[in-house]
Amino acid sequence: MPEITSRRGLLFGTAAVSAGVLLAGCTSNESDDEPASNDQPAADDKPGKQVTIGFAGPQADHGWLNAINDNAKSRAKKYKDVTLEITEGSNDTAQQIGQIETLINKKVDVLVVLPADGKALTQVGLQAMRAGIPVVNLDRIFNSPQAYRCWIGGDNYGMGLNAGHYIGEQLKDKKGARVIELAGLDNLELTKQRTQGFDAALKNYPNIKKVARQAAEFTVESGQAKMSQLLQAQSNFDALWNHDDDQGVGALRAIEQAGRDDFLMVGGAGALSAMQAIESDNSVLKATVLYPPTMAASAIDLARALGQSKGIGGLAEFEIPSSLTLYSAVVDKENVKTYLPTGFK
């Protein structure tokens, strides 16, 4: 892969790290049998070089996407040395490309982009990188690693995996256990990955069989409609995994209307309403698997570090990583108080 030159005049690839390590080795006062220390400054809360970060995401037409925007804005406000240029956001790829090109023309120092469609926006990511503006690709990944300096996002496969293991542990002693799945939009790769992870986890529990799967659309209305269909088709099951807490609001309505309380439900993403229901413990919803929108706050941290030519505190490397995959923690009654502040509306 051809390497792209950054504004600092260093390469984004291994050459930059190698040169830095060599320099540290040449100037070290430590003995040969001791590891050379890394004195490269790491990003911290102290004000440093002023950095203008351009932020472009899709339209906030979903609770999680709105939380993405809120996390980015609130994180940027934390730093006196950060100016955030944020676009309106759009689900129209041509419009989002135009918004990003405007940020490129403004010559922002770093770009954070959550593309409405990673494949469709790859070229504008490449355009920014070629203009010397490093890109932090947030969640929906571009088709080419040359289109971004760093990717940070959630783990859809891991989300399904952890949901499956949680359900599996609850039902491991039940003979002939039956589970059903309320998925998201089936034309999205993330939905397929969540299902693949869920199915892989269930293979560890030979007593459990998945007896039904229905795709919804990540909306309250679709969750209610599709859950009603599942309840009519499946009179007996022990657990439900719902991919998304927004559509889970509708699913819970359908469950309550049907008067069903004979199974446990696990949600997905980490909405505040789901966490509050888990804390109250007065419904079938017993857990949710996180897909944390705090990734947008972390993307701002990474962009600031890039703009200030710094690494990350706690890591020995001179540069920030090329990718960061967040963990999909399971939130249940035991730990919900810890995660409540991260719940999104």
Side-chain angles (χ1 to χ4, degrees):
M1 180 183 80
E3 292 174 336
I4 302 173
T5 306
S6 76
R7 292 186 130 172
R8 303 162 45 182
L10 297 176
L11 295 175
F12 285 155
T14 55
V17 177
S18 299
V21 172
L22 179 61
L23 181 61
C26 291
T27 58
S28 173
N29 291 321
E30 299 175 71
S31 61
D32 292 342
D33 58 351
E34 292 179 343
S37 63
N38 182 350
D39 295 326
Q40 176 77 1
D44 54 32
D45 291 347
K46 296 177 183 177
K49 174 188 172 184
Q50 289 292 320
V51 178
T52 299
I53 300 172
F55 183 90
Q59 183 180 347
D61 55 2
H62 182 275
W64 186 84
L65 286 170
N66 189 61
I68 283 285
N69 290 343
D70 289 345
N71 271 272
K73 291 174 184 176
S74 61
R75 196 65 161 192
K77 288 178 182 177
K78 173 184 173 182
Y79 299 117
K80 294 181 179 179
D81 51 21
V82 168
T83 300
L84 188 67
E85 292 270 356
I86 190 164
T87 67
E88 285 186 18
S90 176
N91 291 329
D92 179 88
T93 54
Q95 188 173 0
Q96 192 180 19
I97 288 169
Q99 291 170 345
I100 295 168
E101 287 177 336
T102 297
L103 292 172
I104 293 171
N105 292 334
K106 286 185 176 181
K107 299 186 177 180
V108 297
D109 297 302
V110 190
L111 269 171
V112 176
V113 179
L114 197 167
D117 182 322
K119 180 179 180 181
L121 269 77
T122 297
Q123 286 302 315
V124 78
L126 287 166
Q127 182 182 338
M129 291 286 284
R130 288 167 180 156
I133 301 173
V135 176
V136 178
N137 182 192
L138 181 57
D139 199 45
R140 299 173 188 170
I141 195 165
F142 293 135
N143 265 17
S144 169
Q146 296 187 75
Y148 58 89
R149 165 58 181 84
C150 175
W151 174 86
I152 178 170
D155 184 356
N156 287 293
Y157 183 88
M159 192 179 177
L161 197 68
N162 288 349
H165 278 299
Y166 180 85
I167 288 173
E169 289 302 304
Q170 307 308 305
L171 301 178
K172 64 183 179 181
D173 296 325
K174 183 176 177 63
K175 186 177 180 180
R178 296 158 60 90
V179 302
I180 64 173
E181 180 181 8
L182 183 63
L185 284 161
D186 258 345
N187 64 336
L188 297 179
E189 186 63 26
L190 66 90
T191 300
K192 298 172 186 175
Q193 291 169 349
R194 291 178 186 183
T195 291
Q196 288 165 0
F198 187 60
D199 291 345
L202 292 182
K203 289 179 181 178
N204 292 282
Y205 306 92
N207 64 306
I208 299 175
K209 181 181 180 181
K210 187 169 79 170
V211 296
R213 180 186 184 277
Q214 179 70 58
E217 299 173 3
F218 293 129
T219 64
V220 173
E221 295 76 18
S222 70
Q224 184 170 356
K226 299 301 183 180
M227 191 67 227
S228 293
Q229 294 176 18
L230 279 171
L231 290 169
Q232 290 171 12
Q234 302 295 327
S235 59
N236 176 34
F237 59 92
D238 302 288
L240 157 71
W241 182 45
N242 161 57
H243 284 206
D244 177 75
D245 286 333
D246 273 9
Q247 72 184 24
V249 172
L252 282 170
R253 287 178 187 168
I255 292 165
E256 290 166 5
Q257 288 171 0
R260 297 283 295 272
D261 61 0
D262 53 325
F263 59 89
L264 69 92
M265 174 177 170
V266 176
L272 180 61
S273 61
M275 293 192 192
Q276 289 171 336
I278 292 165
E279 185 178 37
S280 298
D281 197 21
N282 57 6
S283 73
V284 298
L285 183 59
K286 302 302 180 186
T288 186
V289 187
L290 298 188
Y291 198 82
T294 50
M295 66 178 71
S298 297
I300 296 298
D301 290 342
L302 292 167
R304 176 174 176 261
L306 276 171
Q308 294 180 343
S309 303
K310 294 181 177 179
I312 295 178
L315 294 181
E317 286 73 26
F318 290 98
E319 302 280 354
I320 71 168
S322 60
S323 66
L324 286 169
T325 302
L326 305 185
Y327 183 67
S328 293
V330 176
V331 177
D332 61 9
K333 194 174 181 181
E334 298 300 316
N335 61 3
V336 67
K337 288 187 184 298
T338 300
Y339 289 98
L340 263 173
T342 70
F344 59 88
K345 295 180 180 179

